[in-house]
Amino acid sequence: MKEQRIATRNGRLVDHLQRRRARLQAPQLTVDGKLTRMVGLTLEAVGCQAAIGSRCLVRSPGGEQVEAEVVGFSNERTYLMPVAEMRGFEPYSLVTPIGSHQRAPAGNSLLGRVLDGTGKPLDGRGALHPERYQALAGTPINPLSRAPIRESLDVGIRAINGLLRVGRGQRLGLFAGSGVGKSTLLGMMTRYTRADVAVVALIGERGREVNDFVHKTLGEAGLKKAVVIAAPSDTSPVARLQGAMLATAIAEDFRDQGRDVLLLMDSLTRFAQAQREIALAIGEPPATKGYPPSVFAKLPALVERAGTSNHGGGSITGFYTVLTEGDDQQDPIADAARAILDGHIVLSREIAEMGRYPAIDLDASVSRLLPDLVSPGEMERIQQFRELNAIYRQNHDLISLGVYQKGSDPTIDAAVEFQPHLNAYLSQGITEAVALNDSSRQLQALFLQPDEISKALH
C-alpha cells in the first residue's frame, strides 16, 4: 500500500510538471490596451500588461505610431513614457506590448560610429552589424571579486597625469560650470589617452555641441578608437536615460573582452534630470531641491557599473561630468556624486578667465587613489607642488597689490619664485599631448633642489 501511495504521488507530480511546461512553452497572447490619459510626458493605458522597462507600441487611428517605455503601474493602469514626440494621438489609441527589456549592440564594428540613445546610427554610414548584444541594464559585479586598482592610466593631460593620477578602473567626477573648457578637456582625453577604447556619452547636450564635439573636438583620428552615444536635450527623458545605460553597456562589453576602456559621460547631471522628469511625471514626490528619491538610487546604480572586472582583466575608467549651476559646488547632484565617486576634478571659472587651460582648480581637486598609484618620492613632490600653489593663491591679493615685501615670509617667497613654473606645468595646449612618463619627469625637473624647497616650506 505504501509503495502504491508513493507511485500515485509521483504520478501526480509528473502530471503537474508536464502541464506547467506546456503552459510555459505555449505562445503568449498579446493583449492590446487603450490609451486613456496623456498629461505632459506621461501616458496612461488600461487593458494591457507589460513589465517595467519593457516597450509598447502606441498607434493612433490616423496611422501614427511611437514606442513608449513602461515606467510604472497602479492597479489596472499602466504608465508609459514615449521615446519620441507624440503628435496626432487621440483618446483610446491602441497600446500593444512589443517586447521585453532592451539590449545594447556590442563589438568592434561599433568603433568609429555615432549612435543615438536607442542605439540607431546617426552618422549616415549605414546600418550597424554588431557581433553580439549586451544586456542594457548590465550585470552587477560582486565588489569583493573586483580586481584592485594598482596601475595608472595615461589620459594625455599633464596636470591630471602628474598631480592627480588616474587608476585603471577609477571613477572620477569632472565638476564644471558652463563655458570653462569641459568639452575641450574631454576631447583631449579621448584623443590622447592610452586606453584601448574610448566610449563617449553626450547626454542632454545641445545638438550643436554634439556636432562640434564629433567633428572638431574629437576629429577623425579620435573617432577611430571611440564610440559616441548622443542623446541631445531635445530627445525624450527615456532616450537620455537609455543613452547613458547604452554607453555603459558598450563599455562593459569591451571590458569583458579584456580591454581598458575610457568612459566619458557628459553629463551625469543631465542623466539625473531625465530621471527627475520621469519620476515627477508619474507622481513620485520631490525630496531634495525638487529631486525625487529615485534619482539618488539611479546615480550609484549607473556609476557602479564602471570599474575593474572579475574576469577578463579589463577595466572601465569613468569620467562623469557634473554641471555645477552657478558654480555651486553644493548642488544636490554634485554632493551626491562626490560621495559615490573615487575623486573629483574641479574646473574653475576664475582660472578660465585668467586664460589658463585646462582650468583645473588644484586646491579643490582630489584623487582618492593617488597614494596607491605613486611612489613616496612622487607623493612628496606632488604635496610640495600643491602647497606652493595654495600658498600663492591665498596671498595673491597681497602680492598683486604690492603689499607683500619680499623676505617677510620664506614660504611666500618660494611660492612667488615658483609660480611661473607651476602655471606652465598646469597649462597645456589643445593640440599638445603629454604622456604619463613625461608628466612625472617634468614634475621632477621643477624641483631640482628639493631639500631647499622643503626647508622653506617647513
Side-chain angles (χ1 to χ4, degrees):
M1 294 296 292
K2 182 178 181 180
E3 294 178 354
Q4 185 177 0
R5 287 197 301 270
I6 293 174
T8 302
R9 189 182 304 116
N10 289 342
R12 291 174 179 171
L13 179 60
V14 169
D15 290 341
H16 172 73
L17 292 175
Q18 288 177 343
R19 288 194 301 270
R20 184 177 180 183
R21 186 180 299 113
R23 287 197 302 270
L24 292 175
Q25 293 176 349
Q28 299 294 317
L29 296 177
T30 300
V31 179
D32 293 337
K34 298 289 186 180
L35 185 64
T36 58
R37 190 168 181 259
M38 178 178 177
V39 177
L41 299 173
T42 311
L43 307 180
E44 186 177 307
V46 297
C48 62
Q49 293 184 351
I52 295 292
S54 63
R55 292 290 177 92
C56 293
L57 191 65
V58 184
R59 298 186 180 93
S60 73
E64 294 87 354
Q65 60 183 30
V66 68
E67 284 190 19
E69 183 170 316
V70 179
V71 294
F73 58 84
S74 175
N75 296 324
E76 74 281 358
R77 294 174 295 175
T78 302
Y79 300 116
L80 305 101
M81 193 72 64
V83 177
E85 187 177 4
M86 299 280 291
R87 287 185 180 276
F89 288 85
E90 303 174 2
Y92 305 110
S93 295
L94 207 61
V95 180
T96 306
I98 58 174
S100 58
H101 301 274
Q102 301 295 300
R103 296 188 301 162
N108 292 333
S109 61
L110 272 65
L111 292 175
R113 301 302 302 268
V114 181
L115 313 178
D116 67 8
T118 62
K120 298 176 182 177
L122 285 174
D123 50 16
R125 295 174 50 192
L128 287 178
H129 300 286
E131 289 88 342
R132 53 194 167 270
Y133 285 89
Q134 183 88 347
L136 190 66
T139 303
I141 298 177
N142 186 334
L144 297 181
S145 66
R146 287 184 183 269
I149 300 174
R150 293 290 182 266
E151 296 182 11
S152 300
L153 177 68
D154 187 352
V155 295
I157 308 300
R158 179 169 44 226
I160 298 177
N161 281 342
L163 301 171
L164 295 168
R165 196 62 63 93
V166 179
R168 296 178 187 268
Q170 189 172 356
R171 289 84 52 93
L172 291 108
L174 191 60
F175 290 68
S178 58
V180 295
K182 167 177 55 66
S183 298
T184 301
L185 182 59
L186 292 179
M188 291 172 66
M189 284 194 287
T190 306
R191 292 196 305 271
Y192 304 145
T193 181
R194 295 298 177 91
D196 301 318
V197 178
V199 179
V200 183
L202 304 175
I203 309 300
E205 296 299 312
R206 294 184 292 271
R208 179 192 58 79
E209 287 188 342
V210 172
N211 188 55
D212 288 348
F213 184 88
V214 172
H215 294 103
K216 295 181 180 179
T217 307
L218 192 57
E220 185 177 351
L223 190 59
K224 286 183 179 179
K225 66 171 185 178
V227 183
V228 179
I229 310 299
S233 57
D234 61 343
T235 58
S236 71
V238 170
R240 279 176 266 150
L241 280 184
Q242 186 170 332
M245 293 190 290
L246 175 63
T248 307
I250 293 172
E252 285 174 325
D253 179 76
F254 283 120
R255 177 188 62 188
D256 294 342
Q257 305 307 312
R259 300 192 188 187
D260 291 316
V261 184
L262 179 64
L263 173 62
L264 304 175
M265 187 167 295
D266 185 16
S267 69
L268 196 64
T269 304
R270 303 300 188 205
F271 172 84
Q273 289 173 348
Q275 174 60 26
R276 177 175 65 178
E277 290 178 40
I278 294 174
L280 293 178
I282 63 175
E284 186 177 353
T288 308
K289 292 188 177 180
Y291 286 95
S294 63
V295 171
F296 301 100
K298 285 277 189 182
L299 289 176
L302 179 71
V303 170
E304 283 295 327
R305 293 173 61 181
T308 54
S309 177
N310 57 352
H311 65 279
S315 65
I316 300 176
T317 304
F319 278 85
Y320 300 87
T321 68
V322 180
L323 303 177
T324 51
E325 298 182 9
D327 298 326
D328 179 14
Q329 298 296 326
Q330 303 307 316
D331 176 84
I333 300 303
D335 198 44
R338 269 193 297 269
I340 60 177
L341 294 169
D342 302 321
H344 52 272
I345 299 172
V346 178
L347 299 185
S348 166
R349 187 174 303 279
E350 179 184 355
I351 294 175
E353 290 171 350
M354 292 169 55
R356 196 194 82 197
Y357 290 96
I360 295 175
D361 185 347
L362 191 60
D363 297 341
S365 304
V366 65
S367 172
R368 295 177 181 172
L369 297 181
L370 178 64
D372 299 328
L373 300 172
V374 300
S375 66
E378 287 178 301
M379 193 67 189
E380 183 180 358
R381 287 190 290 272
I382 291 171
Q383 289 173 339
Q384 289 176 344
F385 189 109
R386 295 179 70 108
E387 191 168 354
L388 286 170
N389 187 68
I391 290 171
Y392 184 86
R393 291 193 64 182
Q394 290 167 4
N395 296 276
H396 177 264
D397 291 342
L398 295 177
I399 296 169
S400 60
L401 293 173
V403 176
Y404 174 76
Q405 298 297 319
K406 185 177 181 180
S408 302
D409 189 325
T411 59
I412 299 179
D413 291 342
V416 172
E417 180 183 352
F418 273 85
Q419 189 59 28
H421 305 291
L422 303 185
N423 271 334
Y425 188 88
L426 292 170
S427 302
Q428 184 172 334
I430 295 177
T431 59
E432 179 187 3
V434 184
L436 181 63
N437 291 335
D438 293 334
S439 302
S440 298
R441 180 179 53 79
Q442 293 171 15
L443 179 63
Q444 185 176 7
L446 282 177
F447 302 99
L448 297 178
Q449 297 175 319
D451 293 337
E452 294 185 11
I453 296 172
S454 180
K455 183 178 179 181
L457 291 175
H458 304 288

